[in-house]
Amino acid sequence: NSEDVRCKCICPPYKDHSGHIYNKNVSQKDCDCLHVVEPMPVPGPDVEAYCLRCECKYEERSSVTIKVSGVILLA
């Protein structure tokens, strides 16, 4: 299920741009700033410096397990 995987990038403030969290459904190999941060908030020459500050993590979850656990807790 495509909703069970995502890449989450946390980018701190950079120059005159505030910090931001980006989420996108991409494969694990594409889990980096260049593939997830859209639109890129900085101009071309600053992209590398901006991306080096971002922390990107690939996350997986099982929505079926979450739903079953919810049903058991509510029962």
Side-chain angles (χ1 to χ4, degrees), residues 3-48:
E3 294 155 5
D4 288 345
V5 295
R6 72 175 178 178
C7 182
K8 179 178 182 180
C9 290
I10 301 172
C11 300
Y14 178 77
K15 293 187 177 178
D16 60 342
H17 300 281
S18 60
H20 196 77
I21 297 174
Y22 300 89
N23 292 303
K24 190 171 182 184
N25 291 338
V26 294
S27 67
Q28 189 169 8
K29 69 179 183 68
D30 290 334
C31 184
D32 58 37
C33 174
L34 293 175
H35 289 98
V36 176
V37 176
E38 290 180 356
M40 187 62 67
V42 295
D46 287 335
V47 169
E48 185 177 357

